[in-house]
Amino acid sequence: VGGMRRNGFARPLDPLQVSSWVVFALFVAATAGLVVPVLDAPAAWVFAGVYGGLTLLTFVAVARTTNSNAVDTCVLARGTSTSVLVRPERLSRLPFFLRIESATVKPFGGSDITSPPRRVSNASVAENLAYCFLCQVSVKRRSKHCKVCKKCVDEFDHHCVWLNNCVGVRNYSLFLFSIGSTCAFVTVQLCGAAAALAVISSNDTESGWPAVAARLKERTSFQLGRETHGVLVGVLLVANIPVWALITQLCAFHVQLRREGLTTYDYILREQVRANEPPTPSISDRIAIRYATWKASRRRGASAVSSTNAVRSNTNITSLYKDTFNDDNGRGVPVLNAVSTGTEVPRHHHLDVDSRQKTAGEITRSQAQNGDSREKKSLR
């Protein structure tokens, strides 16, 4: 593919990449010129050895990571005599026009395109490949095409602007080693600046600033004042704090990714899915929901109890009058006696005085009619 970047040193260089080189050089120069001369002889030699080793280690690790090429090996093997033909219709469709199952696709609103057969390095792994229409070659399924580097990266993790290079499975170990060595480098540098500032602030004649001033006067004719030296070391200390915090957080983040078996790209996709999910209710919301549910259940329970009592009352009234009116021997006397003698009818019958008098009158008329019918029968 035309314009494919081979590594992070390929032009154009990223401005953040160049700025990191400048900051690294300034940190090393400031530490060597301001921190090491202030420390006492044994501590100065130990600090210089550790700091110098970490400086060299960080420089080599970052340079190697920047110079690495995380491109998919299928892209490098394109056009070789050992490759075989694989049609894109055998491949799987995945996002970002990288992995497309059909041979006919529409890239970003364009017209249909029918792709010719492509070559891969081994026919046995053909089913595990996907076709990239930008690289014009079949690549591995977990590869992603980086629009900055203009190439497919095997198991793409992210594009690092500080390295001006993509990070994938081929250089991920180098990347972890780089950020780990950088974290150690900044940590030692931060501790050295703090120790130097403590020495400058001390008035001890053996280990404080008077002893440092005498030692520097013997070694060189150029000497900074106490206030100037202290301010410069303080600026170095303050400048190291955010760098240390950021690089430590980056190391912890990638350690967590390694534990979960994720790449940075996978993590971003997962967080996007979680962002679209409904938010989890807070503790106060859960309490309010539980209270509303309990209150609603109490209301349903009370209404159910009242309905049950009403049904039972209606059943009792119906059975009472069924027994009274259908009693061949009693002929409604219990109700008449209750009305004539003033005996209270049970409350659950829900009969007022008018209803009871009406009921007694109806029963009396019924008895009179029965008597008349018997008299007529006897006359016959």
Side-chain angles (χ1 to χ4, degrees):
V1 179
M4 183 180 70
R5 298 168 56 89
R6 299 190 63 86
N7 52 55
F9 291 115
R11 296 188 180 184
L13 300 177
D14 194 283
L16 292 177
Q17 178 190 24
V18 177
S19 65
S20 67
W21 296 348
V22 175
V23 170
F24 180 77
L26 290 176
F27 276 170
V28 173
T31 303
L34 298 174
V35 176
V36 176
V38 173
L39 300 178
D40 198 7
W45 284 108
V46 173
F47 176 80
V50 174
Y51 183 76
L54 288 175
T55 301
L56 181 61
L57 187 65
T58 303
F59 177 80
V60 173
V62 172
R64 285 198 60 184
T65 308
T66 305
N67 192 51
S68 62
N69 191 359
V71 67
D72 194 314
T73 53
C74 295
V75 178
L76 297 177
R78 178 179 49 192
T80 59
S81 58
T82 58
S83 60
V84 295
L85 293 177
V86 177
R87 289 188 176 275
E89 49 264 33
R90 299 177 59 189
L91 307 177
S92 300
R93 175 173 294 176
L94 292 174
F96 195 56
F97 57 85
L98 249 195
R99 308 163 183 180
I100 302 175
E101 187 174 53
S102 176
T104 303
V105 295
K106 287 185 178 181
F108 292 104
S111 58
D112 292 350
I113 299 175
T114 302
S115 304
R118 297 298 166 188
R119 296 183 177 272
V120 294
S121 58
N122 193 341
S124 62
V125 297
E127 296 298 333
N128 295 323
L129 300 177
Y131 186 74
C132 176
F133 281 88
L134 296 179
C135 293
Q136 296 291 303
V137 69
S138 298
V139 296
K140 298 177 182 179
R141 288 185 177 273
R142 286 183 58 81
S143 295
K144 301 289 185 300
H145 190 94
C146 177
K147 63 180 181 180
V148 179
C149 295
K150 299 180 180 179
K151 62 185 177 183
C152 281
V153 178
D154 191 2
E155 292 190 27
F156 178 82
D157 188 88
H158 71 285
H159 179 86
C160 181
V161 294
W162 304 102
L163 300 174
N164 194 29
N165 198 7
C166 278
V167 178
V169 68
R170 297 184 63 190
N171 61 353
Y172 189 75
S173 298
L174 280 175
F175 173 76
L176 288 181
F177 189 78
S178 298
I179 61 176
S181 60
T182 304
C183 183
F185 164 79
V186 177
T187 302
V188 172
Q189 187 172 252
L190 184 65
C191 294
L197 190 62
V199 171
I200 294 173
S201 302
S202 176
N203 292 321
D204 194 336
T205 56
E206 295 183 357
S207 59
W209 176 254
V212 173
R215 188 166 59 249
L216 292 177
K217 188 176 181 180
E218 295 177 358
R219 296 177 182 176
T220 178
S221 58
F222 177 77
Q223 182 179 355
L224 295 174
R226 183 176 186 177
E227 292 78 10
T228 306
H229 205 132
V231 169
L232 292 177
V233 173
V235 170
L236 177 64
L237 177 64
V238 172
N240 271 273
I241 293 176
V243 177
W244 178 83
L246 291 174
I247 195 67
T248 303
Q249 182 185 17
L250 181 63
C251 289
F253 173 70
H254 279 277
V255 169
Q256 182 64 25
L257 289 181
R258 294 285 287 183
R259 290 181 59 185
E260 296 183 14
L262 299 174
T263 64
T264 304
Y265 182 79
D266 297 334
Y267 172 80
I268 294 174
L269 292 181
R270 187 184 70 179
E271 293 304 312
Q272 289 177 352
V273 172
R274 289 181 176 179
N276 295 328
E277 295 177 352
T280 303
S282 61
I283 297 177
S284 59
D285 293 338
R286 290 198 294 267
I287 293 175
I289 293 172
R290 287 180 178 271
Y291 175 74
T293 305
W294 172 80
K295 195 172 182 181
S297 63
R298 288 290 301 272
R299 289 177 181 174
R300 289 194 299 268
S303 61
V305 170
S306 62
S307 301
T308 303
N309 292 336
V311 171
R312 290 177 179 174
S313 300
N314 294 333
T315 303
N316 294 334
I317 294 172
T318 304
S319 61
L320 172 65
Y321 284 103
K322 182 179 180 181
D323 296 338
T324 302
F325 297 137
N326 294 334
D327 190 356
D328 296 332
N329 298 322
R331 292 190 293 274
V333 175
V335 177
L336 289 173
N337 290 338
V339 175
S340 59
T341 59
T343 305
E344 183 179 358
V345 179
R347 293 182 181 179
H348 62 269
H349 292 168
H350 300 287
L351 295 174
D352 53 11
V353 176
D354 295 336
S355 300
R356 289 186 293 224
Q357 292 176 353
K358 183 179 180 181
T359 304
E362 292 177 353
I363 297 174
T364 304
R365 286 194 297 273
S366 176
Q367 291 176 350
Q369 293 175 359
N370 292 334
D372 294 340
S373 60
R374 284 195 294 269
E375 290 178 358
K376 291 179 180 180
K377 288 180 180 180
S378 61
L379 291 175
R380 291 177 184 177

